[in-house]
């Protein structure tokens, strides 16, 4: 049985850990709320741009644009959104496992794919395995502005346009609720399935439908990436919150059971002392 | 006077929403004035100011690219960034302008960075002019 002092030390250190995890939980809860609000304020833009894109793409079937038509796939791009830090439960490993398995299954050599990593965890994971990471961005703010991501988004879209990639997939974690986040795979390019719920309008184009698509489609694809980033930020904070909550709960359980054995040990020590005194007194008589 | 609903939306959220009498925007094929009852239309925008006439006053919104969507009852401007005149950070715009100018001097022509610096300069100048109009 551990000594009294050992148990006491463990109780103190577990208490300190639980204070930290508790603080982290509250910080992530606050960040999650803000990230959720950010994701919500992005919705009107996304809906609008989707509606317009769908209207144009549906209204002018004869207008061909490279971003709308599939071509034979020689090289696939994977955009993977992860967090910069750990301590978030299975958040990163779920996404990375999904990407890793897909790549293992689909591709024979590293010539056939390339990875664009957003977030340190994803970058390090793929770099360590010598997989083809061509672009990475780390240190994205908790409340990312569109400007921060625009550069990498337009590069990714540009690589599709100049035929570096023939298709682009987006892997991120979709925020369902504070306790549920799903790994989501979206085919970003080519944009073959643009759907919208609202009714389609037929527009006049100024100067022409082709010119509009030229401006609109890259912007649409970039905003899809940004939307995914906002979504995964909300998931990240939710995942950290859940992980830290269970860490705090575990610490509390541990402290309880440790206190129990501490008290037992203390009692045993006292009992023994009394027995010794009584025994000693009896020996004197 | 008849009015039309206008909203300027960016990825960071809506910037401007109001009912106005006329919208004037600089599209890639030229200045375009939109009155209520305009035919549905889509046009890409240049970096520039969007003017919104309302009750004898004019509101200015600095828009960096994007496009305008016109419907019979509503005009939507979708831009990657947009600011109302009184929300522009003029100091920052001036700094951005200087930075872009410096870069333009350093770089040789027909460089990708050159083009980017040029666009940055356009955006900065646009912000500065819009903000001055407001004052």
């Amino acid at each position: 049985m551990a000594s009294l002092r050992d148990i006491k030390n463990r109780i103190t250190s577990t208490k300190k850990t639980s204070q930290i995890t508790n603080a982290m939980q509250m910080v992530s809860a606050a960040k999650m709320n803000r990230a959720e609000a950010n994701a919500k304020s992005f919705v009107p833009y996304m809906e609008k741009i989707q509606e317009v894109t769908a209207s144009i793409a549906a209204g002018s079937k004869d207008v061909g644009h490279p971003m709308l038509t599939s071509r034979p796939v020689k090289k696939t791009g994977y955009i993977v959104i992860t967090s910069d830090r750990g301590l978030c439960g299975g958040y990163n490993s779920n996404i990375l496992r999904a990407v890793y398995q897909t790549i293992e299954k689909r591709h024979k050599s590293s010539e056939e794919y390339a990875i664009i990593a957003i977030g340190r965890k994803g970058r390090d994971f793929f770099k360590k395995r010598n997989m083809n990471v061509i672009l990475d961005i780390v240190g994205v703010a908790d409340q990312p502005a569109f400007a921060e991501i625009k550069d990498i988004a337009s590069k990714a879209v540009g690589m599709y346009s100049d035929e570096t990639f023939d298709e682009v997939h987006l892997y991120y974690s979709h925020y369902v609720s504070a306790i549920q986040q799903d790994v989501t795979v979206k085919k970003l390019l080519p944009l073959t399935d643009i759907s919208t719920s609202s009714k389609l309008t037929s527009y006049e184009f100024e100067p022409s439908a082709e010119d509009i698509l030229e401006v609109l489609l890259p912007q649409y694809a970039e905003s899809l990436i940004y939307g995914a980033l906002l979504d995964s930020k909300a998931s990240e904070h939710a995942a950290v919150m859940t992980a830290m909550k269970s860490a705090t709960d575990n610490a509390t359980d541990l402290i309880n059971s440790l206190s129990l054995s501490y008290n037992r040990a203390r009692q045993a020590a006292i009992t023994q002392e009394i027995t010794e005194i009584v025994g000693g007194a009896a020996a004197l008589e | 006077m008849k009015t039309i609903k206008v909203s300027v939306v960016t990825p960071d959220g809506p910037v401007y929403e109001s009912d106005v009498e006329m919208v004037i925007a600089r599209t890639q094929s030229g200045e375009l004035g939109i009155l209520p009852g305009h035919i549905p239309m889509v046009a890409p925008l240049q970096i520039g100011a969007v003017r919104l006439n309302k009750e004898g006053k004019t509101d200015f919104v600095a828009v960096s690219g994007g496009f305008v969507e016109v419907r019979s009852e509503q005009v939507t401007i979708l831009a990657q960034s947009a600011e109302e005149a009184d929300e522009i950070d003029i100091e920052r715009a001036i700094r951005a302008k200087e930075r872009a100018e410096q870069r333009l001097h350093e770089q040789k022509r027909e460089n990708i960075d050159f083009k980017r610096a040029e666009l940055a300069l356009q955006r900065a100048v646009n912000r500065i002019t819009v903000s001055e109009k407001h004052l």
Side-chain angles (χ1 to χ4, degrees):
Chain A
M1 197 160 147
S3 79
L4 270 182
R5 186 188 299 191
D6 285 347
I7 301 179
K8 185 137 207 178
N9 280 344
R10 278 197 68 195
I11 293 178
T12 328
S13 79
T14 317
K15 262 189 189 148
K16 280 185 182 150
T17 314
S18 83
Q19 268 168 6
I20 293 171
T21 54
N22 196 23
M24 285 176 79
Q25 182 201 333
M26 287 193 284
V27 169
S28 318
K31 280 184 177 168
M32 186 190 75
N33 284 337
R34 257 196 294 170
E36 214 185 331
N38 278 356
K40 279 217 180 85
S41 70
F42 176 69
V43 168
Y45 178 84
M46 197 61 230
E47 272 175 359
K48 205 71 210 172
I49 200 165
Q50 192 156 18
E51 202 179 302
V52 176
T53 315
S55 295
I56 297 175
S60 43
K61 278 270 181 269
D62 47 327
V63 181
H65 190 276
M67 283 172 80
L68 288 174
T69 41
S70 340
R71 53 184 184 232
V73 177
K74 289 195 280 302
K75 192 165 181 175
T76 312
Y78 292 92
I79 300 178
V80 184
I81 305 179
T82 54
S83 70
D84 280 348
R85 271 173 303 172
L87 294 181
C88 48
Y91 172 78
N92 287 317
S93 45
N94 285 344
I95 300 172
L96 294 175
R97 192 183 323 121
V99 181
Y100 188 72
Q101 284 172 353
T102 319
I103 290 178
E104 288 282 281
K105 205 162 63 193
R106 273 199 214 148
H107 306 294
K108 284 183 202 76
S109 75
S110 60
E111 298 288 295
E112 292 174 18
Y113 68 90
I115 296 163
I116 296 173
I118 302 178
R120 182 171 288 121
K121 287 280 164 186
R123 183 194 66 176
D124 293 351
F125 178 89
F126 293 117
K127 282 230 165 121
K128 209 155 108 196
R129 282 162 183 77
N130 283 326
M131 292 166 94
N132 193 4
V133 181
I134 46 164
L135 274 179
D136 63 70
I137 179 168
V138 296
V140 176
D142 282 326
Q143 261 72 51
F146 185 67
E148 266 181 86
I149 193 75
K150 185 174 186 319
D151 207 34
I152 198 163
S154 45
K155 266 187 201 149
V157 174
M159 279 180 192
Y160 176 81
S161 309
D162 66 18
E163 306 202 355
T164 312
F165 301 143
D166 303 300
E167 57 176 0
V168 180
H169 295 268
L170 185 60
Y171 282 75
Y172 66 101
S173 183
H174 173 58
Y175 175 84
V176 183
S177 70
I179 49 163
Q180 197 191 350
Q181 300 91 38
D182 294 340
V183 174
T184 309
V185 186
K186 222 184 226 173
K187 190 176 182 189
L188 186 63
L189 290 167
L191 297 159
T192 41
D193 51 341
I194 306 168
S195 57
T196 171
S197 47
S198 55
K199 66 178 170 55
L200 302 174
T201 322
S202 63
Y203 294 104
E204 289 278 300
F205 301 115
E206 180 66 40
S208 67
E210 283 92 343
D211 288 311
I212 306 261
L213 286 178
E214 203 68 47
V215 177
L216 181 62
L217 291 178
Q219 202 174 333
Y220 177 63
E222 283 167 22
S223 48
L224 279 177
I225 300 176
Y226 181 63
L229 181 72
L230 290 180
D231 204 351
S232 58
K233 277 287 168 193
S235 314
E236 178 191 331
H237 296 310
V240 173
M241 195 181 81
T242 322
M244 288 302 113
K245 188 177 180 336
S246 57
T248 314
D249 290 349
N250 287 344
T252 319
D253 287 350
L254 195 61
I255 291 169
N256 284 341
S257 77
L258 282 174
S259 320
L260 198 64
S261 41
Y262 176 78
N263 288 336
R264 276 208 191 114
R266 191 173 57 97
Q267 217 165 17
I270 292 168
T271 314
Q272 199 186 347
E273 238 169 79
I274 292 173
T275 334
E276 275 163 11
I277 292 169
V278 171
L284 283 178
E285 275 169 16
Chain B
M1 203 163 163
K2 262 183 139 178
T3 57
I4 188 162
K5 203 171 154 231
V6 180
S7 50
V8 180
V9 192
T10 69
D12 297 322
V15 173
Y16 182 94
E17 254 170 282
S18 179
D19 289 304
V20 303
E21 286 144 16
M22 177 151 121
V23 183
I24 305 162
R26 196 192 294 168
T27 68
Q28 286 185 354
S29 38
E31 290 260 315
L32 176 77
I34 301 154
L35 292 168
H38 198 286
I39 194 171
M41 187 191 76
V42 179
L45 292 176
Q46 287 184 24
I47 296 172
V50 173
R51 282 175 283 160
L52 304 133
N53 292 349
K54 180 171 134 187
E55 292 155 9
K57 282 190 304 189
T58 310
D59 288 337
F60 290 93
V61 177
V63 174
S64 308
F67 55 93
V68 57
E69 184 221 15
V70 185
R71 295 186 170 213
S72 49
E73 76 285 8
Q74 194 184 13
V75 176
T76 313
I77 293 169
L78 289 165
Q80 300 205 322
S81 74
E83 290 108 6
E84 256 193 279
D86 50 355
E87 273 168 17
I88 291 173
D89 186 345
I90 186 90
E91 305 265 308
R92 191 175 151 219
I94 290 171
R95 276 204 306 279
K97 182 175 170 242
E98 281 162 3
R99 208 162 48 231
E101 274 168 347
Q102 198 186 346
R103 235 174 252 165
L104 287 178
H105 282 300
E106 284 165 9
Q107 238 124 42
K108 295 216 166 67
R109 280 183 174 275
E110 285 168 56
N111 197 318
I112 303 168
D113 281 346
F114 183 83
K115 229 178 169 181
R116 273 174 56 181
E118 209 170 56
L119 283 175
L121 181 64
Q122 270 183 37
R123 283 197 295 269
V125 169
N126 176 38
R127 285 198 176 108
I128 293 166
T129 33
V130 168
S131 157
E132 275 166 359
K133 269 180 198 152
H134 170 69
L135 293 176

